[in-house]
Amino acid sequence: MSRSIRWRIGTPYILLIWVIMAVLGVYFTRLVQSIYLKDLENELISEVRLLRSILSAQFPADAQSDHLDQLAKDWAGELNKRVTIIAQDGTVLGESDFDRAQMDNHASRSEIIQASLSGIGIETRRSDTLGIPMMYVAASIRSTSGEIMGYVRIGMPTERIQNDLSLLQRTLIVVTILFSLTAGFLAIFIANRITHPIRQLAQAAAQMARGQLESRLIPTTQDEIGGLTIAFNEMAAELNAKIQALDAERGRIAAVLEVMSDGVLIIDEEGKVQLVNSAAESMFGVSHDEALGRSLIEVLRQHQITEVWEQCRRSGETQTTTVEISAHRLYLQCIATPLGPTLQGNTLLLFQNLTRLRRLETVRQDFISNISHELRTPLASLKALAETLQESAIDDPPAAKRFLQRMETELDALTQMVEELLELSRIESGRVPLKMSPTSPIRLISQAVERLALQAERARLEISIHCPNDLSPVLADERRLAQVIVNLLHNAIKFTPAGGRIELRAEHDGDHILFSVKDNGVGIPSEDLPRIFERFYKTDRARSSGGTGLGLAIARHLVEAHGGRIWVESLEGQGSTFSFSIPIAT
């Protein structure tokens, strides 16, 4: 409450009013007290003079009688005061409140001495006779010749005076308090009226601080506060418009950053991360909350990136480098750009994911290497056979026929390779239409086994089928999907030693049918597993076993064209299991 502006305005006025009223109360109390005492003295002087004028005419005759004593009592009853008549030598001749015979001589009383000198004597003191404080006014009684014949004195207890003064003081104090309270309440009321618009402004400002920018005030006065209210409303409207524009701009920037495939970080001049988008979070495996406010090296743990940022900060020029994140198998290009006057001292780090491009480049290089390798052998054989025929074998019909048969075999291998390449190209480009229809899994497996049964028998391999006849049909192109199983079974036969076992299985897997071809052959090295479905990719053991290296690539693309996925599990020397899943026909 003490911090409220209305109290800071009202309290000084209230204190000022109370101080002024207290000073005025004390002043008027003393003034009235002085006036009251002066009036009382004048009253007593008037009364004592009146008594003196009465006594002046009869004092000589009655000075020694009891009449003066009775007269003092009568006058005291009328005046409600003590009356004493004293002789010129100080003897008490008349007394209204005490036995005059027992009273001391009053010649030494101060008021009597003053009266003997100036005619009137005034004294306030404790009465020796009554033992209480009294105010005395005495007057000398003189003869016509001016000689003093005696004195008349009126006394009034000061207790009565103090009671009257106390009543007067209490009245003045009550009036002062009532007036001060009234003035204080008026001061508070006025201060409240003055500060009410200011409090409304403060509340509106607090609402704006909490984000409620629509708060507006209606001006209730035409003074400076009214002008301030109008200015506040204009400021609030302008601020609201600017904040909405900033929010819209920030939303657009945030949307762009979120959908960007490139990672973005903003680093301040102290090397602390100020912004990180979703792509960067995914690249480096950090969350937004973990990254903000932490150092670049602490967040990314890549000294090469930190060095690029430091070079950019020192030179003020764009720096570029490539970084390989082995933990996430990523190959990134990092571009560090100073933000200049826009954000002084800050640096933008842009991370472009070149992993796919690098992988494609690797695949391209491998493709060229593999196809060159695959073509070199048959072409070299054809060239050697042709040269042999040309030189000598043409004249030897049996040898010429044998060479021609070998040439035909090599040409068939080349033709198969070209056809499989064309087939794979058509599948990858989506130019092979699939004739989808509900197809029984057991039918697909049986067709593949029938086609390769003789080959498996020659290789002395045992093939077993585990597929319920009532298994749900899959939605597939029967001929194409059967080709997938044939390719997988052919690989299993080729890489399984004599006496081995091959197991074909189909079973439910949620809303898919899971097909698998399992053998106990030579297996696949773990480092080759990620690339086993690439074109022309062969393990070292496979290169001496013939084949084009396109069968698994064709199988992968056909399975994916059916909306499924294919994978392999293998341990070197313990065999392999190729599996793929196809959605159930609904």
Side-chain angles (χ1 to χ4, degrees):
M1 181 183 294
S2 61
R3 296 182 179 181
S4 174
I5 191 170
R6 59 177 172 178
W7 286 104
R8 286 192 287 171
I9 292 176
T11 302
Y13 282 103
I14 295 172
L15 293 177
L16 179 62
I17 291 171
W18 284 355
V19 169
I20 292 174
M21 291 305 300
V23 172
L24 289 177
V26 172
Y27 171 76
F28 281 113
T29 299
R30 292 183 178 179
L31 178 63
V32 171
Q33 180 180 356
S34 175
I35 294 173
Y36 176 79
L37 291 175
K38 190 65 178 177
D39 289 344
L40 184 60
E41 287 182 2
N42 292 334
E43 179 185 348
L44 293 176
I45 291 172
S46 297
E47 290 175 349
V48 79
R49 285 177 175 172
L50 177 63
L51 296 181
R52 181 180 65 180
S53 62
I54 295 173
L55 287 173
S56 296
Q58 55 183 351
F59 189 80
D62 301 328
Q64 299 297 328
S65 66
D66 293 335
H67 177 67
L68 292 177
D69 193 56
Q70 184 60 43
L71 192 60
K73 289 180 172 55
D74 293 340
W75 285 342
E78 292 178 3
L79 298 175
N80 195 26
K81 297 178 180 65
R82 179 184 177 187
V83 177
T84 305
I85 302 174
I86 304 166
Q88 187 271 338
D89 59 359
T91 304
V92 177
L93 303 176
E95 169 59 35
S96 61
D97 295 349
F98 200 75
D99 184 3
R100 62 185 179 85
Q102 298 180 12
M103 295 177 66
D104 297 335
N105 188 283
H106 281 42
S108 60
R109 300 293 195 268
S110 176
E111 65 276 9
I112 300 301
I113 296 173
Q114 292 179 33
S116 65
L117 298 175
S118 59
I120 297 294
I122 301 173
E123 178 68 16
T124 299
R125 56 179 174 78
R126 176 178 291 276
S127 171
D128 295 337
T129 303
L130 299 177
I132 60 175
M134 298 284 290
M135 173 183 280
Y136 293 109
V137 177
S140 59
I141 304 171
R142 296 178 181 272
S143 62
T144 54
S145 60
E147 294 181 359
I148 296 175
M149 296 182 292
Y151 304 93
V152 60
R153 186 184 68 179
I154 295 179
M156 184 176 183
T158 57
E159 182 179 357
R160 284 178 53 192
I161 299 173
Q162 291 300 325
N163 290 338
D164 292 342
L165 288 175
S166 297
L167 177 61
L168 178 62
Q169 288 175 343
R170 287 195 297 272
T171 302
L172 288 174
I173 290 171
V174 170
V175 171
T176 300
I177 292 173
L178 290 176
F179 186 80
S180 299
L181 291 175
T182 303
F185 284 124
L186 287 174
I188 294 173
F189 176 75
I190 294 170
N192 188 58
R193 287 289 301 274
I194 292 173
T195 58
H196 180 68
I198 299 177
R199 293 199 304 274
Q200 287 184 324
L201 283 172
Q203 292 173 358
Q207 291 177 350
M208 288 181 63
R210 292 192 294 268
Q212 302 175 11
L213 301 178
E214 297 78 14
S215 299
R216 299 293 184 272
L217 296 174
I218 299 176
T220 56
T221 61
Q222 302 296 324
D223 54 9
E224 291 84 353
I225 296 179
L228 179 61
T229 302
I230 295 172
F232 178 85
N233 289 337
E234 293 175 352
M235 179 196 69
E238 183 69 19
L239 182 62
N240 189 25
K242 289 184 177 180
I243 289 179
Q244 287 180 351
L246 289 174
D247 285 342
E249 184 68 21
R250 183 173 60 183
R252 287 192 290 269
I253 294 174
V256 170
L257 289 174
E258 285 301 313
V259 300
M260 282 181 65
S261 59
D262 295 339
V264 174
L265 277 80
I266 293 181
I267 313 300
D268 63 15
E269 57 185 351
E270 296 180 355
K272 301 296 180 62
V273 177
Q274 300 299 315
L275 182 144
V276 55
N277 72 341
S278 297
E281 292 178 21
S282 177
M283 288 177 181
F284 298 102
V286 297
S287 67
H288 183 271
D289 295 335
E290 291 175 350
L292 288 186
R294 298 173 64 189
S295 65
L296 179 61
I297 186 63
E298 191 178 3
V299 173
L300 303 187
R301 301 184 183 278
Q302 296 290 329
H303 291 280
Q304 192 174 354
I305 298 176
T306 305
E307 290 173 2
V308 169
W309 166 73
E310 290 178 347
Q311 291 174 6
C312 176
R313 184 172 61 87
R314 286 195 300 266
S315 64
E317 298 177 353
T318 300
Q319 304 290 327
T320 304
T321 189
T322 54
V323 182
E324 187 169 3
I325 312 296
S326 57
H328 300 86
R329 295 183 178 179
L330 295 177
Y331 187 75
L332 307 176
Q333 182 180 38
C334 174
I335 303 173
T337 304
L339 294 178
T342 305
L343 288 172
Q344 189 68 36
N346 285 250
T347 304
L348 173 68
L349 295 182
L350 180 67
F351 297 94
Q352 297 175 334
N353 192 346
L354 305 181
T355 306
R356 185 172 180 273
L357 294 176
R358 191 181 190 189
R359 186 178 295 118
L360 290 174
E361 179 65 20
T362 302
V363 170
R364 184 186 66 83
Q365 293 174 356
D366 289 347
F367 174 76
I368 294 173
S369 175
N370 290 329
I371 198 170
S372 299
H373 175 83
E374 297 295 335
L375 290 173
R376 184 170 58 246
T377 301
L379 288 175
S381 297
L382 285 172
K383 182 175 178 60
L385 290 170
E387 289 176 349
T388 303
L389 280 173
Q390 188 177 9
E391 291 174 356
S392 60
I394 192 69
D395 298 326
D396 184 357
K401 185 178 180 179
R402 189 172 64 254
F403 283 134
L404 287 173
Q405 288 176 347
R406 290 182 60 187
M407 290 175 70
E408 185 180 5
T409 301
E410 296 296 339
L411 286 172
D412 288 342
L414 286 172
T415 301
Q416 180 187 357
M417 184 185 302
V418 172
E419 288 178 351
E420 288 185 348
L421 277 172
L422 290 174
E423 177 75 2
L424 181 59
S425 177
R426 286 196 297 269
I427 294 172
E428 288 179 341
S429 62
R431 293 198 300 269
V432 176
L434 298 178
K435 299 177 181 179
M436 310 292 280
S437 62
T439 304
S440 171
I442 186 63
R443 179 180 175 84
L444 295 170
I445 294 176
S446 299
Q447 288 180 11
V449 172
E450 287 176 5
R451 288 178 60 181
L452 298 175
L454 185 58
Q455 184 177 346
E457 185 179 346
R458 286 200 301 265
R460 290 179 298 165
L461 299 176
E462 178 186 347
I463 298 178
S464 60
I465 300 174
H466 301 276
C467 177
N469 292 325
D470 58 349
L471 201 64
S472 300
V474 295
L475 187 62
D477 184 319
E478 182 176 340
R479 186 174 67 86
R480 296 289 183 181
L481 201 56
Q483 182 183 351
V484 172
I485 301 176
V486 167
N487 288 354
L488 297 179
L489 181 57
H490 182 267
N491 269 5
I493 293 172
K494 185 165 56 175
F495 298 113
T496 302
R501 297 185 310 277
I502 299 175
E503 178 183 305
L504 285 82
R505 182 181 295 273
E507 57 189 354
H508 273 288
D509 183 22
D511 56 354
H512 287 66
I513 297 297
L514 178 63
F515 295 86
S516 62
V517 178
K518 181 179 181 182
D519 63 66
N520 59 350
V522 297
I524 303 170
S526 58
E527 62 270 15
D528 293 324
L529 287 176
R531 303 187 59 189
I532 198 68
F533 292 102
E534 294 179 6
R535 291 176 294 183
F536 291 115
Y537 191 83
K538 298 180 181 180
T539 64
D540 291 338
R541 288 186 175 86
R543 290 199 181 276
S544 62
S545 303
T548 63
L550 296 172
L552 291 180
I554 292 173
R556 177 172 68 89
H557 285 288
L558 285 175
V559 169
E560 291 176 353
H562 281 79
R565 68 185 188 94
I566 187 169
W567 66 96
V568 61
E569 298 171 352
S570 180
L571 290 175
E572 192 171 5
Q574 299 183 25
S576 304
T577 301
F578 284 84
S579 305
F580 65 92
S581 61
I582 301 297
I584 295 174
T586 55

